[in-house]
Amino acid sequence: MSAICVVVHCVKPYKKIMNFEILYTFVLATFALAISPGPDNIYVLMQSIANGKKYGLVTVAGLITGCLVHTTLVAFGVSILIKQSDSLFFMIKLFGAAYLFFLAYKVWKSSASIQFSEATVHKKSLRKLFKQGFIMNVLNPKVSIFFLAFFPGFLFSNTLTNVTQFYILGFLFMIVSFLVFGLIAIMAGYISDYIKGNSKVGVFLKWMQIIVFIGIGVFILFSEK
């Protein structure tokens, strides 16, 4: 009986450390974003089609590694702002929701067709592909802006530091994105043939992106500190 009490006593505080429902929502949102067509996964798809699966996977590794830099920038910068003021945190949430609604609007205004050309892909060494993927990600300010808009609404603990939470979210984002992008690299031939043979795929993915961006924006807007 005493052993059971000890277990219960240990489990209850642990549950308070992390809100797993928020983490599950974050993982699902990240998956939906990763699978939606964008410059990164289209780039991975084309490298795999033109050069082979191994080259696509190395490209994925470079892109995902670059996320560490953006995670660090957001983790330390946003954590300081959150500590300073509840009003600042509220402003960050407003910015995040507004930016995601803006992304949804941009997708709505864009064409539903998915364009890619194998002729524009040049063969490179594995090292160069990794480096290019990393630099593409690190030097893209839109990634930091997106992380700034996306991450603060998914803070999940009252006991862990904000920096720790941002890094956990960053690593989850990287893991999910790597799995999705890696699957795209491995199944590149089938995916490209399917897209070329089904004109409605682009329309479906377009509206999926719009729904995901709006849904995450609403979630962030009503999330609590």
Side-chain angles (χ1 to χ4, degrees), residues 108-155:
W108 178 68
K109 293 287 288 183
S110 67
S111 171
S113 61
I114 301 173
Q115 302 291 336
F116 47 79
S117 173
E118 297 173 38
T120 61
V121 180
H122 303 290
K123 183 112 177 176
K124 297 178 181 178
S125 67
L126 294 175
R127 183 178 179 182
K128 283 186 176 179
L129 272 178
F130 179 89
K131 184 179 178 181
Q132 183 171 325
F134 178 80
I135 292 173
M136 275 177 60
N137 191 294
V138 170
L139 297 184
N140 186 354
K142 290 183 179 179
V143 179
S144 281
I145 293 172
F146 179 76
F147 277 24
L148 175 60
F150 187 43
F151 282 15
F154 291 90
L155 294 177

Side-chain angles (χ1 to χ4, degrees), residues 81-193:
L81 293 176
I82 290 174
K83 282 183 181 179
Q84 287 179 346
S85 167
D86 288 340
S87 298
L88 282 173
F89 180 64
F90 179 71
M91 293 300 294
I92 291 172
K93 287 202 308 176
L94 284 180
F95 161 78
Y99 182 67
L100 288 163
F101 294 153
F102 170 70
L103 291 179
Y105 173 75
K106 283 188 68 176
V107 173
W108 178 68
K109 293 287 288 183
S110 67
S111 171
S113 61
I114 301 173
Q115 302 291 336
F116 47 79
S117 173
E118 297 173 38
T120 61
V121 180
H122 303 290
K123 183 112 177 176
K124 297 178 181 178
S125 67
L126 294 175
R127 183 178 179 182
K128 283 186 176 179
L129 272 178
F130 179 89
K131 184 179 178 181
Q132 183 171 325
F134 178 80
I135 292 173
M136 275 177 60
N137 191 294
V138 170
L139 297 184
N140 186 354
K142 290 183 179 179
V143 179
S144 281
I145 293 172
F146 179 76
F147 277 24
L148 175 60
F150 187 43
F151 282 15
F154 291 90
L155 294 177
F156 54 88
S157 174
N158 292 323
T159 55
L160 296 176
T161 66
N162 290 326
V163 171
T164 300
Q165 291 182 73
F166 278 121
Y167 270 109
I168 290 173
L169 293 174
F171 280 117
L172 283 174
F173 184 93
M174 290 167 65
I175 291 169
V176 174
S177 297
F178 183 84
L179 291 175
V180 173
F181 281 22
L183 189 62
I184 290 172
I186 293 170
M187 299 180 65
Y190 173 78
I191 291 172
S192 63
D193 290 342

Side-chain angles (χ1 to χ4, degrees), residues 16-60:
K16 293 179 181 178
I17 292 175
M18 292 194 290
N19 186 328
F20 286 101
E21 290 183 3
I22 292 178
L23 287 176
Y24 295 151
T25 304
F26 178 82
V27 168
L28 288 173
T30 300
F31 174 80
L33 290 168
I35 205 170
S36 300
D40 286 345
N41 49 23
I42 294 295
Y43 180 70
V44 168
L45 181 66
M46 295 318 304
Q47 288 296 340
S48 296
I49 293 171
N51 301 318
K53 298 173 185 177
K54 180 168 66 173
Y55 290 82
L57 289 171
V58 170
T59 303
V60 172

